[in-house]
Amino acid sequence: MNATTEWPTDPAEARALQTRLARKVRLGPAPESVQLIAGVDTGFADAGRTARAAVVVMRWPGLEPVAEMVAERPTPMPYVPGLLSFRELPAVLDALERLAMTPDLVLCDGQGIAHPRRLGIAAHLGVITGFATIGVGKSRLVGTHAEPDIGKGAWAPLMDGAERIGTVLRTRAGVRPLWVSPGHRVDHDGAADWVLACCRRYRLPEPIRAADRLASRRP
DNA sequence: GCGACAG
DNA sequence: ATCTTGTCGC
């Protein structure tokens, strides 16, 4: 499945596809050698009918931007909690495919496996591209957790019953935490470590901040 | 039946 | 997510 593949339009069909794809998610150590980290974010226009995805690639460890790409695609279905990836991924894949390089790690806006069927947008993207991905949510979709301490780097496990599905991570002292979860080919520790390592002076990791700006920039 | 609900 | 300027608070 790529940017030009047919995407489900029916919610029930989309949920069934998520359940199938979730079995392909692989958690494990993050890539050993990381030199290029990409941030992905999506903005909308035309009353939500057009998705505008932005990808910014930065070099590790300096986080200097080395490439950026933007792509627009019509959105297949309206926003439904739990089905976000079907709205954003067509545009995201388009942007990634047009990139003249391959990132070693991809930070994605939204959840990884911290999802009802364990296939948030970051996990979905990882499974269909093979990229190592990490989900970075600005709020909670599912799961319960304690409130992390006030300082930068403080965290609490995000749980769904007895299963750990992510990390609630304070990336800046005194501000709302981030809901971080593995997408594909990373584990809980690696996901939280990489997100924190990419946060400089702001709540959001630099690659996602940059993609955020690009995606919402008025053409 | 009544809330909750990524972006 | 998006519609939108100034404004309350540390």
Side-chain angles (χ1 to χ4, degrees):
Chain A
M1 181 181 284
N2 56 51
T4 58
T5 304
E6 191 173 316
W7 291 79
T9 284
D10 171 46
E13 194 179 315
R15 291 190 187 92
L17 178 55
Q18 289 181 324
T19 299
R20 267 181 280 133
L21 291 178
R23 291 189 270 114
K24 300 187 176 182
V25 171
R26 290 295 173 264
L27 299 191
E32 58 305 313
S33 175
V34 173
Q35 297 184 9
L36 297 176
I37 301 182
V40 173
D41 190 32
T42 305
F44 293 88
D46 308 324
R49 292 189 301 268
T50 301
R52 178 190 170 91
V55 178
V56 174
V57 181
M58 297 181 162
R59 187 170 299 286
W60 178 259
L63 296 182
E64 304 90 1
V66 295
E68 55 180 52
M69 187 59 69
V70 170
E72 290 188 357
R73 301 266 303 189
T75 56
M77 54 165 62
Y79 171 71
V80 176
L83 302 182
L84 175 69
S85 62
F86 295 96
R87 270 171 73 70
E88 304 193 350
L89 284 190
V92 169
L93 290 178
D94 198 346
L96 283 173
E97 287 168 2
R98 295 167 56 191
L99 219 47
M101 58 184 72
T102 302
D104 302 302
L105 189 60
V106 179
L107 268 42
C108 217
D109 66 302
Q111 315 298 330
I113 63 170
H115 176 278
R117 289 164 293 284
R118 305 296 181 261
L119 198 82
I121 186 168
H124 193 163
L125 176 64
V127 163
I128 64 181
T129 63
F131 287 142
T133 61
I134 296 173
V136 181
K138 295 186 293 297
S139 64
R140 186 196 70 94
L141 174 58
V142 292
T144 58
H145 62 86
E147 179 74 13
D149 289 331
I150 198 77
K152 177 174 182 174
W155 61 277
L158 177 61
M159 308 293 293
D160 188 357
E163 180 184 5
R164 182 172 179 190
I165 58 175
T167 303
V168 183
L169 179 65
R170 191 90 61 187
T171 54
R172 195 186 170 184
V175 306
R176 295 239 307 160
L178 255 28
W179 279 256
V180 178
S181 57
H184 185 57
R185 296 177 47 211
V186 300
D187 52 30
H188 289 295
D189 291 336
D193 287 348
W194 273 112
V195 168
L196 197 55
C198 288
C199 289
R200 299 307 201 225
R201 336 168 32 188
Y202 303 93
R203 177 166 87 123
L204 291 177
E206 293 302 319
I208 287 186
R209 279 193 75 230
D212 206 349
R213 285 183 28 206
L214 238 195
S216 59
R217 190 179 69 187
R218 268 313 289 176

